[in-house]
Amino acid sequence: MNFMLKGYMACAVAAVCLAAAGCSLRKDYTVVEGVMLGTSLRVVADVEGVGKQELYAAVMELDREAKASMSIFDEGSLLSRLNRNETDSVDRHIAYCLWLADSIGALSSGRYDVTVKPLVEAWGFAGKEPAREPNLDSLLEFVGREKVAVRDGRLFKSDPRVQLDFNSVAKGYTVDLLAGLVERFGAQNYLVDIGGEVRCKGANRQGRPWRIGVETPFDGNMTDGEYVQKRVRMTDGGLATSGNYRRFYIDGQGRKVAHTIDPQTGRSAVSRLLSVTAAAPTCAEADALGTMFLAMGADDALAVAQSMPGVRVYFILAGDDGYEEYVSPAMQELIMN
């Protein structure tokens, strides 16, 4: 299973790189497609003097580097070894993700936290079968961002049973690394997309802003952009969507259990907030913000978003008769009607 569960099963962004279907391609844009982090990969960039195979090889090397660092499904990854207390040395990727988690967590009153792995595992979203009745009180003793710290390149835990899960940020962060890679190859205009999480710069082949579709969040929607609720127009930055309509199951009591966990209650964060699309300077920030708002539930997410004048978010909520939407003031200029 792909180590980026959230992105593979819950992320709801579908990149739409052409301004209209059937437009002819300009020859100065290189397109690379394939699989990265166990999910879909698409790169469209105006690199010059670089062959498609050379670019693809560099992307695959980045794929190996990211998984070797941050995967919770690869038993040999650095993150897995940190979680098993086999090492305390962190690399730059893990150090950055922890720093970003602090930044986003400070906005969330504890509703965004990367120490949720014991809870994610207990509910069956970390590669193991779910527990029938997770002992949440016991598990919550090991959850809390204040229980870990990085000092001088080493990870310190308040309890060895504390474990980290970067599924809420690592895919977005890897998108940023991929954007940096194509820029080093000389790209001035590009869109990079891993499993629907996107970072872009400049213009598409037609000289227009990149268009990115946000999928309609009905339960079980596994299509690749077939049902699009809105389109977002961007020329710079990252975009990510979090939702609970793909990665979920129904338990023995008929309750929906989704992959986004509220670290305060230890339970699945299921509410009428169906998806959150966030735009930010980096895809890692957008990824983390989307998870943060989704974990809050509808009422708290709306209240917090409305208290943050600069935040760029688009919420799709379940209403009495169809969907309701909230577009923050800062996001309105990006939404295409």
Side-chain angles (χ1 to χ4, degrees), residues 171-198:
K171 183 151 70 74
Y173 171 61
T174 305
V175 170
D176 294 328
L177 295 177
L178 182 56
L181 186 152
V182 299
E183 287 188 6
R184 290 193 297 276
F185 275 104
Q188 300 293 317
N189 302 276
Y190 61 81
L191 182 143
V192 297
D193 172 359
I194 302 175
E197 299 198 5
V198 171

Side-chain angles (χ1 to χ4, degrees), residues 69-136:
S69 173
M70 298 174 285
S71 171
I72 64 169
F73 296 100
D74 181 349
E75 293 295 326
S77 74
L78 177 57
L79 184 58
S80 293
R81 290 185 287 121
L82 286 164
N83 284 338
R84 294 194 302 265
N85 302 302
E86 295 174 358
T87 183
D88 61 2
S89 296
V90 303
D91 63 7
R92 65 187 180 98
H93 305 310
I94 288 171
Y96 176 84
C97 288
L98 282 169
W99 171 82
L100 182 61
D102 271 343
S103 302
I104 302 300
L107 304 173
S108 71
S109 301
R111 307 294 280 278
Y112 177 77
D113 196 317
V114 294
T115 65
V116 294
K117 184 175 184 291
L119 295 167
V120 173
E121 188 172 274
W123 289 111
F125 296 105
K128 296 184 178 180
E129 290 297 317
R132 284 190 175 184
E133 291 294 337
N135 187 336
L136 298 182

Side-chain angles (χ1 to χ4, degrees), residues 36-330:
M36 188 172 186
L37 305 181
T39 186
S40 61
L41 162 73
R42 183 172 175 84
V43 177
V44 183
D46 63 347
V47 294
E48 295 182 6
V50 179
K52 186 174 181 178
Q53 292 304 315
E54 181 183 356
L55 179 58
Y56 180 77
V59 172
M60 290 300 96
E61 180 58 34
L62 177 59
D63 178 53
R64 287 187 288 271
E65 179 182 341
K67 289 188 288 193
S69 173
M70 298 174 285
S71 171
I72 64 169
F73 296 100
D74 181 349
E75 293 295 326
S77 74
L78 177 57
L79 184 58
S80 293
R81 290 185 287 121
L82 286 164
N83 284 338
R84 294 194 302 265
N85 302 302
E86 295 174 358
T87 183
D88 61 2
S89 296
V90 303
D91 63 7
R92 65 187 180 98
H93 305 310
I94 288 171
Y96 176 84
C97 288
L98 282 169
W99 171 82
L100 182 61
D102 271 343
S103 302
I104 302 300
L107 304 173
S108 71
S109 301
R111 307 294 280 278
Y112 177 77
D113 196 317
V114 294
T115 65
V116 294
K117 184 175 184 291
L119 295 167
V120 173
E121 188 172 274
W123 289 111
F125 296 105
K128 296 184 178 180
E129 290 297 317
R132 284 190 175 184
E133 291 294 337
N135 187 336
L136 298 182
D137 289 339
S138 175
L139 294 173
L140 285 169
E141 293 181 16
F142 318 130
V143 175
R145 182 60 188 87
E146 73 283 355
K147 300 180 188 299
V148 292
V150 173
R151 295 192 293 271
D152 299 323
R154 297 190 178 278
L155 181 69
F156 292 85
K157 301 180 182 181
S158 64
D159 187 298
R161 291 168 292 185
V162 174
Q163 297 183 66
L164 301 170
D165 180 342
F166 290 147
N167 281 351
S168 62
V169 62
K171 183 151 70 74
Y173 171 61
T174 305
V175 170
D176 294 328
L177 295 177
L178 182 56
L181 186 152
V182 299
E183 287 188 6
R184 290 193 297 276
F185 275 104
Q188 300 293 317
N189 302 276
Y190 61 81
L191 182 143
V192 297
D193 172 359
I194 302 175
E197 299 198 5
V198 171
R199 185 157 172 177
C200 64
K201 183 178 180 181
N204 65 15
R205 300 178 183 89
Q206 290 73 44
R208 301 170 184 169
W210 299 100
R211 297 170 61 194
I212 304 157
V214 180
E215 290 182 345
T216 305
F218 57 86
D219 278 358
N221 180 7
M222 302 299 294
T223 64
D224 185 15
E226 183 176 345
Y227 300 93
V228 174
Q229 191 75 8
K230 280 284 192 296
R231 287 183 171 84
V232 180
R233 179 175 46 229
M234 295 182 67
T235 58
D236 191 33
L239 190 78
T241 295
S242 295
N244 278 330
Y245 57 92
R246 284 186 172 176
R247 186 62 178 175
F248 70 91
Y249 62 88
I250 305 300
D251 69 10
Q253 287 72 48
R255 299 170 299 189
K256 180 178 178 180
V257 180
H259 78 288
T260 303
I261 305 299
D262 182 342
Q264 290 189 336
T265 66
R267 297 187 178 279
S268 178
V270 175
S271 75
R272 72 184 192 94
L273 180 57
L274 304 179
S275 78
V276 177
T277 299
T282 68
C283 194
E285 293 172 86
D287 199 0
L289 282 168
T291 300
M292 179 193 84
F293 282 116
L294 196 65
M296 287 180 171
D299 293 341
D300 288 349
L302 285 166
V304 171
Q306 289 166 357
S307 73
M308 299 169 62
V311 74
R312 294 186 292 175
V313 291
Y314 166 50
F315 294 170
I316 304 177
L317 306 97
D320 294 333
D321 184 19
Y323 298 116
E324 297 177 3
E325 299 178 334
Y326 168 75
V327 182
S328 67

